[in-house]
Coordinates of all heavy atoms in Angstrom, one line a residue:
G1 N -90.0 133.2 28.6 CA -91.5 133.3 28.5 C -91.9 134.1 27.3 O -91.1 134.9 26.7
V2 N -93.1 134.1 27.0 CA -93.7 134.8 25.9 C -94.7 135.8 26.6 O -95.5 135.4 27.4 CB -94.5 133.9 24.9 CG1 -95.1 134.7 23.8 CG2 -93.5 132.9 24.4
A3 N -94.7 137.1 26.2 CA -95.5 138.1 26.8 C -96.5 138.7 25.8 O -96.1 138.8 24.6 CB -94.7 139.2 27.4
A4 N -97.7 139.0 26.2 CA -98.7 139.6 25.4 C -99.4 140.7 26.2 O -99.5 140.6 27.4 CB -99.7 138.6 24.9
I5 N -99.8 141.8 25.6 CA -100.4 142.9 26.3 C -101.9 143.0 25.8 O -102.2 142.9 24.6 CB -99.7 144.2 26.1 CG1 -98.3 144.2 26.6 CG2 -100.5 145.4 26.7 CD1 -97.5 145.4 26.3
G6 N -102.8 143.1 26.8 CA -104.2 143.2 26.4 C -104.9 144.2 27.3 O -104.6 144.3 28.5
E7 N -105.7 145.0 26.7 CA -106.5 146.0 27.4 C -107.9 146.0 26.7 O -108.0 146.4 25.5 CB -105.9 147.4 27.3 CG -106.7 148.5 27.7 CD -107.1 148.6 29.2 OE1 -106.4 147.9 30.0 OE2 -108.0 149.2 29.6
K8 N -108.9 145.7 27.5 CA -110.3 145.6 27.0 C -110.4 144.8 25.7 O -111.2 145.1 24.8 CB -110.8 147.1 26.8 CG -110.8 147.9 28.0 CD -111.3 149.2 27.8 CE -111.3 150.0 29.2 NZ -111.6 151.4 29.0
G9 N -109.5 143.8 25.5 CA -109.6 142.9 24.4 C -109.0 143.4 23.1 O -109.1 142.7 22.1
V10 N -108.4 144.6 23.1 CA -107.9 145.1 21.8 C -106.4 145.3 21.8 O -105.8 145.6 20.8 CB -108.6 146.5 21.4 CG1 -110.0 146.3 21.2 CG2 -108.4 147.5 22.5
G11 N -105.7 145.2 23.0 CA -104.3 145.2 23.0 C -103.7 146.6 23.1 O -102.5 146.8 22.9
V12 N -104.4 147.7 23.3 CA -103.9 149.0 23.4 C -104.6 149.8 24.5 O -105.7 149.4 24.9 CB -104.1 149.8 22.1 CG1 -103.3 149.2 21.0 CG2 -105.5 150.0 21.7
L13 N -103.9 150.8 25.1 CA -104.5 151.6 26.1 C -105.6 152.4 25.4 O -105.5 152.8 24.3 CB -103.5 152.5 26.7 CG -102.6 151.9 27.7 CD1 -101.5 152.9 28.1 CD2 -103.3 151.6 29.0
D14 N -106.7 152.7 26.2 CA -107.8 153.5 25.7 C -107.2 155.0 25.7 O -107.1 155.6 26.7 CB -108.9 153.4 26.6 CG -110.2 154.2 26.1 OD1 -110.0 155.1 25.4 OD2 -111.3 153.8 26.6
A15 N -107.0 155.5 24.5 CA -106.4 156.8 24.3 C -107.3 157.9 24.9 O -106.8 158.9 25.5 CB -106.1 157.1 22.8
V16 N -108.6 157.8 24.8 CA -109.5 158.8 25.3 C -109.4 158.8 26.8 O -109.3 159.8 27.5 CB -110.9 158.5 24.9 CG1 -111.9 159.5 25.5 CG2 -111.0 158.6 23.4
E17 N -109.4 157.6 27.4 CA -109.3 157.5 28.9 C -107.9 158.1 29.4 O -107.8 158.8 30.3 CB -109.4 156.1 29.3 CG -109.3 155.9 30.8 CD -109.3 154.4 31.2 OE1 -109.9 153.6 30.5 OE2 -108.8 154.1 32.3
W18 N -106.9 157.7 28.7 CA -105.5 158.2 29.0 C -105.4 159.7 28.9 O -104.9 160.3 29.8 CB -104.5 157.5 28.1 CG -103.1 157.8 28.5 CD1 -102.2 158.6 27.9 CD2 -102.3 157.2 29.5 NE1 -101.0 158.6 28.5 CE2 -101.0 157.7 29.5 CE3 -102.6 156.2 30.5 CZ2 -100.0 157.4 30.4 CZ3 -101.6 155.9 31.4 CH2 -100.4 156.4 31.3
D19 N -106.0 160.3 27.9 CA -105.9 161.8 27.7 C -106.7 162.5 28.8 O -106.4 163.6 29.2 CB -106.4 162.2 26.3 CG -105.4 161.7 25.2 OD1 -104.2 161.5 25.6 OD2 -105.8 161.6 24.1
A20 N -107.9 161.9 29.2 CA -108.8 162.6 30.0 C -108.2 162.8 31.4 O -108.3 163.9 32.0 CB -110.1 161.8 30.1
D21 N -107.6 161.8 32.0 CA -107.2 162.0 33.4 C -105.8 161.4 33.7 O -105.4 161.2 34.8 CB -108.2 161.4 34.4 CG -108.4 159.9 34.2 OD1 -107.7 159.3 33.3 OD2 -109.2 159.3 34.9
A22 N -105.0 161.2 32.6 CA -103.6 160.7 32.7 C -103.5 159.4 33.5 O -102.5 159.2 34.2 CB -102.7 161.8 33.3
R23 N -104.5 158.6 33.4 CA -104.5 157.3 34.0 C -105.0 156.2 33.0 O -105.7 156.5 32.1 CB -105.5 157.2 35.2 CG -105.1 158.1 36.3 CD -106.1 158.1 37.4 NE -105.8 159.1 38.4 CZ -105.8 158.9 39.7 NH1 -106.2 157.7 40.2 NH2 -105.5 159.8 40.6
G24 N -104.6 155.0 33.3 CA -105.0 153.9 32.4 C -104.6 152.6 33.1 O -103.9 152.6 34.1
S25 N -105.0 151.5 32.5 CA -104.6 150.2 33.0 C -104.3 149.3 31.8 O -104.9 149.5 30.7 CB -105.6 149.6 33.9 OG -106.8 149.4 33.2
L26 N -103.5 148.3 32.0 CA -103.3 147.2 31.1 C -102.9 146.0 31.8 O -102.5 146.0 32.9 CB -102.2 147.6 30.0 CG -100.8 147.9 30.5 CD1 -100.0 146.7 30.5 CD2 -100.2 149.0 29.7
T27 N -103.1 144.9 31.1 CA -102.7 143.6 31.6 C -101.7 142.9 30.7 O -101.8 142.9 29.5 CB -103.9 142.6 31.7 OG1 -104.9 143.3 32.5 CG2 -103.6 141.3 32.4
V28 N -100.6 142.5 31.3 CA -99.5 141.8 30.6 C -99.6 140.3 30.9 O -99.7 140.0 32.1 CB -98.1 142.3 30.9 CG1 -97.0 141.5 30.2 CG2 -98.0 143.8 30.6
Y29 N -99.7 139.5 29.9 CA -99.8 138.0 30.1 C -98.5 137.4 29.7 O -98.0 137.7 28.6 CB -100.9 137.4 29.2 CG -102.3 137.9 29.6 CD1 -102.8 139.1 28.9 CD2 -103.0 137.3 30.5 CE1 -104.0 139.5 29.2 CE2 -104.3 137.8 30.9 CZ -104.8 138.9 30.2 OH -106.0 139.4 30.5
V30 N -97.9 136.6 30.6 CA -96.6 136.0 30.4 C -96.8 134.5 30.4 O -97.3 133.9 31.4 CB -95.5 136.4 31.4 CG1 -94.2 135.7 31.1 CG2 -95.4 137.9 31.5
Y31 N -96.6 133.9 29.3 CA -96.8 132.4 29.1 C -95.4 131.7 29.1 O -94.4 132.3 28.7 CB -97.5 132.1 27.8 CG -98.8 132.7 27.7 CD1 -99.0 134.0 27.1 CD2 -99.9 132.1 28.1 CE1 -100.2 134.6 27.0 CE2 -101.2 132.6 28.0 CZ -101.3 133.9 27.5 OH -102.6 134.5 27.4
D32 N -95.4 130.4 29.4 CA -94.2 129.6 29.4 C -93.1 130.1 30.1 O -91.9 130.1 29.7 CB -93.8 129.3 27.9 CG -94.9 128.6 27.1 OD1 -95.6 127.8 27.7 OD2 -95.1 128.9 25.9
L33 N -93.3 130.7 31.3 CA -92.3 131.2 32.2 C -91.5 130.1 32.7 O -92.0 129.2 33.3 CB -93.0 132.1 33.3 CG -92.1 132.9 34.1 CD1 -91.4 134.0 33.3 CD2 -92.9 133.6 35.2
A34 N -90.2 130.2 32.5 CA -89.2 129.1 32.9 C -89.3 128.9 34.5 O -89.0 127.8 34.9 CB -87.8 129.5 32.5
V35 N -89.5 129.9 35.2 CA -89.5 129.8 36.7 C -90.9 129.6 37.3 O -91.0 129.8 38.5 CB -88.7 131.0 37.3 CG1 -87.3 131.0 36.9 CG2 -89.4 132.3 37.0
M36 N -91.9 129.3 36.5 CA -93.2 129.2 37.0 C -93.4 128.2 38.2 O -94.0 128.5 39.2 CB -94.2 128.8 35.9 CG -95.6 128.7 36.3 SD -96.4 130.2 36.7 CE -96.8 130.8 35.1
D37 N -92.8 127.0 38.0 CA -92.9 126.0 39.0 C -92.3 126.4 40.3 O -92.8 126.2 41.4 CB -92.3 124.6 38.6 CG -93.1 124.0 37.5 OD1 -94.3 124.3 37.3 OD2 -92.6 123.2 36.7
A38 N -91.1 127.0 40.2 CA -90.4 127.5 41.4 C -91.2 128.6 42.1 O -91.3 128.6 43.4 CB -89.0 128.0 41.1
A39 N -91.8 129.6 41.4 CA -92.5 130.6 42.0 C -93.8 130.1 42.6 O -94.1 130.5 43.7 CB -92.9 131.6 40.9
Q40 N -94.4 129.1 42.0 CA -95.6 128.5 42.6 C -95.3 127.7 43.9 O -96.0 127.8 44.9 CB -96.2 127.5 41.6 CG -97.2 128.1 40.7 CD -98.5 128.6 41.4 OE1 -98.8 129.8 41.2 NE2 -99.1 127.8 42.2
A41 N -94.2 127.0 43.9 CA -93.7 126.3 45.1 C -93.5 127.3 46.2 O -93.9 127.0 47.4 CB -92.5 125.5 44.8
L42 N -92.8 128.4 46.0 CA -92.5 129.3 47.0 C -93.8 130.0 47.5 O -94.0 130.2 48.7 CB -91.5 130.4 46.5 CG -90.1 129.9 46.3 CD1 -89.3 130.9 45.6 CD2 -89.5 129.5 47.7
A43 N -94.7 130.3 46.6 CA -96.0 130.9 47.0 C -96.8 130.0 47.9 O -97.4 130.4 48.8 CB -96.7 131.4 45.8
G44 N -96.7 128.7 47.5 CA -97.5 127.7 48.3 C -96.9 127.5 49.6 O -97.6 127.0 50.6
E45 N -95.6 127.8 49.8 CA -95.0 127.6 51.1 C -95.0 128.9 51.9 O -94.3 129.1 52.9 CB -93.5 127.2 50.9 CG -93.4 125.8 50.3 CD -94.0 124.7 51.2 OE1 -93.9 124.8 52.4 OE2 -94.5 123.7 50.7
S46 N -95.8 129.9 51.5 CA -96.0 131.2 52.1 C -94.7 132.0 52.1 O -94.5 132.8 53.0 CB -96.4 131.0 53.6 OG -97.7 130.4 53.6
F47 N -93.9 131.9 51.0 CA -92.8 132.7 50.8 C -93.1 133.7 49.6 O -92.4 133.7 48.6 CB -91.5 131.9 50.4 CG -91.0 131.1 51.6 CD1 -91.1 129.7 51.5 CD2 -90.4 131.7 52.6 CE1 -90.6 128.9 52.6 CE2 -89.9 130.9 53.7 CZ -90.0 129.5 53.7
Q48 N -94.2 134.4 49.8 CA -94.8 135.2 48.7 C -93.7 136.3 48.3 O -93.6 136.5 47.1 CB -96.1 135.9 49.2 CG -96.8 136.6 48.0 CD -97.3 135.6 47.0 OE1 -97.6 134.5 47.2 NE2 -97.4 136.1 45.8
D49 N -93.0 136.8 49.2 CA -92.0 137.8 48.8 C -90.9 137.2 47.9 O -90.4 137.9 47.0 CB -91.4 138.5 50.1 CG -90.8 137.5 51.0 OD1 -91.2 136.3 51.0 OD2 -89.9 137.9 51.9
L50 N -90.5 136.0 48.2 CA -89.5 135.3 47.3 C -90.1 134.9 46.0 O -89.5 135.1 44.9 CB -89.0 134.1 48.0 CG -88.1 134.4 49.2 CD1 -87.6 133.1 49.9 CD2 -86.9 135.2 48.8
S51 N -91.4 134.5 46.0 CA -92.0 134.1 44.7 C -92.1 135.3 43.8 O -92.0 135.1 42.5 CB -93.3 133.4 44.9 OG -94.3 134.2 45.4
E52 N -92.4 136.4 44.3 CA -92.6 137.6 43.5 C -91.3 138.0 42.8 O -91.3 138.6 41.8 CB -93.1 138.8 44.3 CG -94.6 138.7 44.7 CD -95.5 138.8 43.5 OE1 -95.2 139.6 42.6 OE2 -96.5 138.0 43.5
M53 N -90.2 137.7 43.5 CA -88.9 138.0 42.9 C -88.6 137.2 41.6 O -87.8 137.6 40.8 CB -87.7 137.8 43.9 CG -87.8 138.8 45.1 SD -86.5 138.4 46.3 CE -85.0 138.4 45.4
L54 N -89.2 136.1 41.5 CA -89.0 135.2 40.3 C -89.9 135.6 39.1 O -89.7 135.3 38.0 CB -89.3 133.8 40.6 CG -88.4 133.1 41.7 CD1 -88.8 131.7 42.0 CD2 -86.9 133.1 41.1
L55 N -91.0 136.4 39.4 CA -91.9 136.8 38.4 C -91.5 138.2 37.8 O -90.8 139.0 38.4 CB -93.3 136.9 39.0 CG -93.9 135.7 39.6 CD1 -95.2 135.9 40.2 CD2 -94.0 134.6 38.5
P56 N -91.9 138.5 36.6 CA -91.5 139.7 35.9 C -92.3 140.9 36.5 O -92.1 142.0 35.9 CB -91.8 139.5 34.5 CG -92.8 138.4 34.5 CD -92.6 137.6 35.7
T57 N -93.1 140.8 37.5 CA -93.9 141.9 38.0 C -93.1 143.1 38.4 O -93.5 144.2 38.1 CB -94.7 141.4 39.2 OG1 -95.4 140.1 38.9 CG2 -95.8 142.4 39.7
S58 N -92.0 142.9 39.0 CA -91.2 144.1 39.5 C -90.5 144.9 38.3 O -90.1 146.0 38.5 CB -90.2 143.7 40.5 OG -89.3 142.7 39.9
V59 N -90.4 144.2 37.2 CA -89.7 144.9 36.1 C -90.6 146.0 35.5 O -90.1 147.0 35.0 CB -89.4 143.8 35.0 CG1 -88.8 144.5 33.7 CG2 -88.4 142.8 35.5
L60 N -91.9 145.8 35.4 CA -92.8 146.7 34.8 C -92.8 148.1 35.4 O -92.8 149.1 34.7 CB -94.2 146.1 34.6 CG -94.3 144.9 33.7 CD1 -95.6 144.2 33.8 CD2 -93.9 145.3 32.3
P61 N -93.0 148.2 36.8 CA -92.9 149.5 37.4 C -91.6 150.3 37.1 O -91.6 151.5 36.8 CB -93.1 149.3 38.9 CG -93.8 148.0 38.9 CD -93.3 147.2 37.8
A62 N -90.5 149.6 37.1 CA -89.2 150.2 36.8 C -89.2 150.7 35.3 O -88.7 151.7 35.0 CB -88.1 149.2 37.0
F63 N -89.7 149.9 34.4 CA -89.8 150.3 33.0 C -90.6 151.5 32.8 O -90.2 152.5 32.2 CB -90.4 149.1 32.2 CG -90.7 149.5 30.8 CD1 -89.7 149.5 29.8 CD2 -92.0 149.8 30.4 CE1 -89.9 149.9 28.5 CE2 -92.2 150.1 29.1 CZ -91.2 150.2 28.1
F64 N -91.8 151.5 33.4 CA -92.7 152.7 33.2 C -92.1 154.0 33.9 O -92.3 155.1 33.4 CB -94.1 152.4 33.7 CG -94.9 151.5 32.7 CD1 -95.2 150.2 33.0 CD2 -95.3 152.0 31.5 CE1 -95.9 149.5 32.1 CE2 -96.0 151.3 30.6 CZ -96.3 150.0 30.9
A65 N -91.4 153.8 35.0 CA -90.9 154.9 35.8 C -89.9 155.7 34.9 O -89.8 156.9 35.0 CB -90.2 154.4 37.0
R66 N -89.2 155.0 34.0 CA -88.2 155.6 33.1 C -88.9 156.6 32.2 O -88.3 157.5 31.6 CB -87.5 154.6 32.3 CG -86.6 153.6 33.1 CD -85.3 154.1 33.4 NE -84.5 154.4 32.2 CZ -83.5 155.1 32.1 NH1 -83.0 155.6 33.2 NH2 -82.9 155.4 31.0
F67 N -90.2 156.5 32.0 CA -91.0 157.3 31.1 C -91.9 158.3 31.9 O -92.8 158.9 31.3 CB -91.8 156.5 30.1 CG -90.9 155.6 29.3 CD1 -90.7 154.3 29.6 CD2 -90.2 156.1 28.2 CE1 -89.9 153.5 28.8 CE2 -89.4 155.4 27.4 CZ -89.2 154.0 27.7
G68 N -91.7 158.4 33.2 CA -92.5 159.3 34.0 C -93.9 158.8 34.3 O -94.8 159.6 34.5
V69 N -94.1 157.5 34.3 CA -95.4 156.9 34.5 C -95.3 156.0 35.8 O -94.4 155.1 35.8 CB -95.8 156.1 33.3 CG1 -97.2 155.4 33.6 CG2 -96.0 156.9 32.1
K70 N -96.1 156.3 36.7 CA -96.2 155.4 37.9 C -97.0 154.2 37.6 O -98.0 154.3 37.0 CB -96.9 156.2 39.1 CG -97.1 155.4 40.3 CD -97.8 156.2 41.4 CE -98.1 155.3 42.6 NZ -99.1 155.9 43.5
C71 N -96.5 153.1 38.0 CA -97.1 151.8 37.7 C -97.3 151.0 39.0 O -96.3 150.7 39.7 CB -96.3 151.0 36.7 SG -96.9 149.3 36.4
D72 N -98.5 150.6 39.4 CA -98.8 149.7 40.5 C -99.1 148.4 39.8 O -100.0 148.3 39.0 CB -99.9 150.2 41.3 CG -99.6 151.4 42.1 OD1 -98.5 151.6 42.6 OD2 -100.5 152.3 42.2
A73 N -98.4 147.3 40.1 CA -98.5 146.0 39.4 C -98.8 144.9 40.4 O -98.2 144.9 41.5 CB -97.3 145.7 38.6
E74 N -99.8 144.1 40.0 CA -100.1 142.9 40.8 C -100.1 141.7 39.8 O -100.6 141.8 38.7 CB -101.5 143.0 41.4 CG -101.5 143.6 42.8 CD -102.8 143.5 43.4 OE1 -103.2 142.4 43.8 OE2 -103.5 144.5 43.5
S75 N -99.7 140.5 40.3 CA -99.6 139.4 39.5 C -100.6 138.3 39.9 O -100.9 138.2 41.1 CB -98.2 138.8 39.4 OG -97.8 138.4 40.7
Y76 N -101.1 137.6 39.0 CA -102.1 136.5 39.2 C -101.7 135.3 38.4 O -101.3 135.4 37.2 CB -103.5 136.9 38.8 CG -104.0 138.2 39.5 CD1 -103.8 139.4 38.9 CD2 -104.6 138.1 40.7 CE1 -104.2 140.6 39.5 CE2 -105.0 139.3 41.4 CZ -104.8 140.5 40.8 OH -105.2 141.7 41.4
Y77 N -101.8 134.1 39.0 CA -101.5 132.9 38.3 C -102.8 132.4 37.5 O -103.8 132.4 38.1 CB -101.1 131.8 39.2 CG -99.7 132.0 39.9 CD1 -99.7 132.5 41.2 CD2 -98.5 131.8 39.3 CE1 -98.5 132.7 41.9 CE2 -97.3 132.1 39.9 CZ -97.3 132.5 41.2 OH -96.1 132.8 41.8
L78 N -102.6 132.0 36.3 CA -103.8 131.6 35.5 C -103.4 130.2 34.8 O -102.3 129.9 34.6 CB -104.1 132.6 34.4 CG -104.4 134.0 34.8 CD1 -104.6 134.9 33.6 CD2 -105.7 134.0 35.7
S79 N -104.5 129.5 34.6 CA -104.3 128.2 33.9 C -105.2 128.2 32.7 O -106.4 128.6 32.8 CB -104.6 127.0 34.8 OG -104.5 125.8 34.1
S80 N -104.8 127.7 31.5 CA -105.6 127.6 30.4 C -106.4 126.3 30.4 O -107.2 126.0 29.5 CB -104.7 127.6 29.1 OG -103.8 126.5 29.1
V81 N -106.2 125.4 31.4 CA -106.9 124.2 31.5 C -107.8 124.2 32.7 O -107.3 124.4 33.9 CB -105.9 123.0 31.6 CG1 -106.7 121.7 31.7 CG2 -105.0 123.0 30.4
Y82 N -109.1 123.9 32.6 CA -110.0 123.9 33.7 C -109.9 122.5 34.4 O -109.8 121.5 33.7 CB -111.5 124.1 33.3 CG -112.5 123.9 34.4 CD1 -112.6 124.8 35.4 CD2 -113.2 122.7 34.5 CE1 -113.5 124.6 36.4 CE2 -114.1 122.5 35.5 CZ -114.2 123.4 36.5 OH -115.1 123.2 37.5
T83 N -109.9 122.5 35.7 CA -109.9 121.3 36.5 C -110.8 121.5 37.7 O -110.8 122.6 38.3 CB -108.5 120.9 36.9 OG1 -108.6 119.7 37.7 CG2 -107.8 121.9 37.7
R84 N -111.6 120.5 38.0 CA -112.5 120.5 39.2 C -111.7 120.4 40.5 O -112.0 120.9 41.5 CB -113.5 119.5 39.1 CG -114.5 119.8 38.0 CD -115.5 118.6 37.9 NE -116.7 119.1 37.3 CZ -117.9 119.3 37.9 NH1 -118.0 119.1 39.2 NH2 -118.9 119.8 37.3
N85 N -110.6 119.6 40.4 CA -109.8 119.3 41.6 C -108.7 120.3 41.8 O -107.8 120.5 40.9 CB -109.2 117.9 41.4 CG -108.4 117.5 42.7 OD1 -108.3 118.2 43.6 ND2 -107.9 116.2 42.6
P86 N -108.8 121.1 42.9 CA -107.7 122.1 43.1 C -106.3 121.6 43.1 O -105.4 122.3 42.8 CB -108.1 122.8 44.4 CG -109.6 122.4 44.6 CD -109.8 121.1 43.9
A87 N -106.2 120.3 43.5 CA -104.8 119.7 43.6 C -104.2 119.5 42.2 O -103.0 119.4 42.1 CB -104.9 118.4 44.3
D88 N -105.1 119.5 41.2 CA -104.6 119.4 39.8 C -104.3 120.7 39.1 O -104.0 120.7 37.9 CB -105.6 118.6 39.0 CG -105.7 117.1 39.5 OD1 -104.8 116.6 40.1 OD2 -106.8 116.5 39.2
Y89 N -104.5 121.8 39.8 CA -104.3 123.1 39.2 C -102.9 123.3 38.9 O -102.0 123.3 39.7 CB -104.8 124.2 40.2 CG -104.7 125.6 39.7 CD1 -105.4 126.1 38.7 CD2 -103.7 126.5 40.3 CE1 -105.3 127.4 38.3 CE2 -103.6 127.8 39.9 CZ -104.4 128.2 38.9 OH -104.2 129.5 38.4
R90 N -102.6 123.6 37.6 CA -101.2 123.9 37.1 C -101.2 125.1 36.3 O -101.6 125.1 35.1 CB -100.7 122.7 36.3 CG -100.6 121.4 37.0 CD -99.4 121.4 38.0 NE -99.4 120.1 38.7 CZ -99.8 119.9 39.9 NH1 -100.4 120.9 40.6 NH2 -99.7 118.7 40.5
P91 N -100.9 126.3 36.9 CA -100.9 127.5 36.1 C -99.9 127.5 35.0 O -98.8 126.9 35.2 CB -100.6 128.6 37.1 CG -100.0 127.9 38.2 CD -100.5 126.5 38.2
D92 N -100.2 128.0 33.8 CA -99.3 128.1 32.7 C -99.1 129.6 32.3 O -98.5 129.8 31.2 CB -99.7 127.2 31.6 CG -101.1 127.5 31.1 OD1 -101.7 128.5 31.6 OD2 -101.6 126.7 30.3
C93 N -99.6 130.5 33.0 CA -99.5 131.9 32.7 C -99.5 132.8 33.9 O -100.1 132.4 34.9 CB -100.7 132.2 31.8 SG -100.9 134.0 31.4
V94 N -98.9 133.9 33.8 CA -99.0 134.9 34.9 C -99.6 136.2 34.2 O -99.1 136.6 33.2 CB -97.6 135.3 35.5 CG1 -97.7 136.4 36.4 CG2 -97.0 134.1 36.1
A95 N -100.7 136.6 34.8 CA -101.3 137.9 34.3 C -100.8 139.0 35.3 O -100.9 138.9 36.5 CB -102.8 137.8 34.4
I96 N -100.3 140.1 34.7 CA -99.8 141.2 35.5 C -100.7 142.4 35.2 O -100.7 142.9 34.1 CB -98.3 141.5 35.2 CG1 -97.5 140.2 35.4 CG2 -97.8 142.6 36.1 CD1 -96.1 140.4 34.9
Q97 N -101.5 142.8 36.2 CA -102.4 143.9 36.1 C -101.6 145.2 36.5 O -101.1 145.3 37.6 CB -103.6 143.7 37.0 CG -104.5 144.9 37.0 CD -105.2 145.2 35.6 OE1 -105.5 144.2 34.9 NE2 -105.3 146.4 35.3
C98 N -101.5 146.1 35.5 CA -100.8 147.4 35.8 C -101.8 148.5 35.8 O -102.5 148.7 34.8 CB -99.7 147.6 34.7 SG -98.5 146.3 34.6
N99 N -101.7 149.3 36.8 CA -102.5 150.6 36.9 C -101.5 151.7 36.7 O -100.5 151.8 37.5 CB -103.2 150.7 38.2 CG -104.3 149.6 38.4 OD1 -105.1 149.4 37.5 ND2 -104.2 148.9 39.5
L100 N -101.7 152.5 35.7 CA -100.7 153.5 35.3 C -101.2 154.9 35.5 O -102.4 155.2 35.4 CB -100.4 153.4 33.8 CG -100.0 152.0 33.3 CD1 -99.9 152.0 31.8 CD2 -98.7 151.6 34.0
E101 N -100.3 155.8 35.9 CA -100.6 157.2 36.1 C -99.4 158.1 35.8 O -98.3 157.8 36.3 CB -101.0 157.4 37.6 CG -101.4 158.8 37.9 CD -101.8 158.9 39.4 OE1 -101.8 158.0 40.2 OE2 -102.2 160.1 39.8
V102 N -99.6 159.1 35.0 CA -98.6 160.0 34.7 C -98.2 160.8 35.9 O -99.1 161.4 36.6 CB -99.0 161.0 33.5 CG1 -97.9 162.0 33.3 CG2 -99.2 160.1 32.3
I103 N -96.9 160.9 36.2 CA -96.5 161.7 37.4 C -95.7 162.9 37.0 O -95.3 163.1 35.9 CB -95.6 160.8 38.4 CG1 -94.5 160.1 37.6 CG2 -96.5 159.8 39.1 CD1 -93.6 159.3 38.5

């Protein structure tokens, strides 16, 4: 997959916010994920714990922990194509919202 980081539309953490209270947030967007269909199928079958294992969501808290930063991460499926019919919904991106705090 391809990943991009965005925060308030500029792609960087707000340095003033980070300095003020040692907290911040960012969103990582992962496109063209090879296991997207499998993760969606498992999530649709109420195997949410298994579908999360296929997504890169669990990697980010481990990465930030190495630098002394606590990371709570949640993932959301997104689609770049609007459809009125929910049965036609085909996500092509995973957005991972990370809330960060220096520990």
Side-chain angles (χ1 to χ4, degrees):
V2 178
I5 298 175
E7 167 67 17
K8 298 181 183 174
V10 297
V12 295
L13 283 170
D14 183 337
V16 175
E17 179 184 338
W18 186 257
D19 290 340
D21 61 4
R23 294 176 187 224
S25 65
L26 62 90
T27 305
V28 178
Y29 298 91
V30 182
Y31 299 91
D32 300 325
L33 189 62
V35 295
M36 179 71 82
D37 291 339
Q40 273 295 125
L42 288 171
E45 296 295 326
S46 297
F47 292 110
Q48 191 64 29
D49 54 340
L50 291 177
S51 68
E52 287 294 321
M53 292 175 57
L54 296 176
L55 300 177
T57 310
S58 61
V59 173
L60 294 172
F63 171 80
F64 284 111
R66 298 274 300 164
F67 300 99
V69 176
K70 178 183 174 192
C71 173
D72 295 319
E74 271 190 71
S75 58
Y76 304 92
Y77 295 102
L78 302 176
S79 176
S80 60
V81 178
Y82 173 76
T83 178
R84 290 177 159 252
N85 184 355
D88 294 336
Y89 178 70
R90 299 286 179 262
D92 54 8
C93 174
V94 174
I96 305 168
Q97 176 65 36
C98 299
N99 297 311
L100 308 174
E101 180 179 1
V102 174
I103 50 176

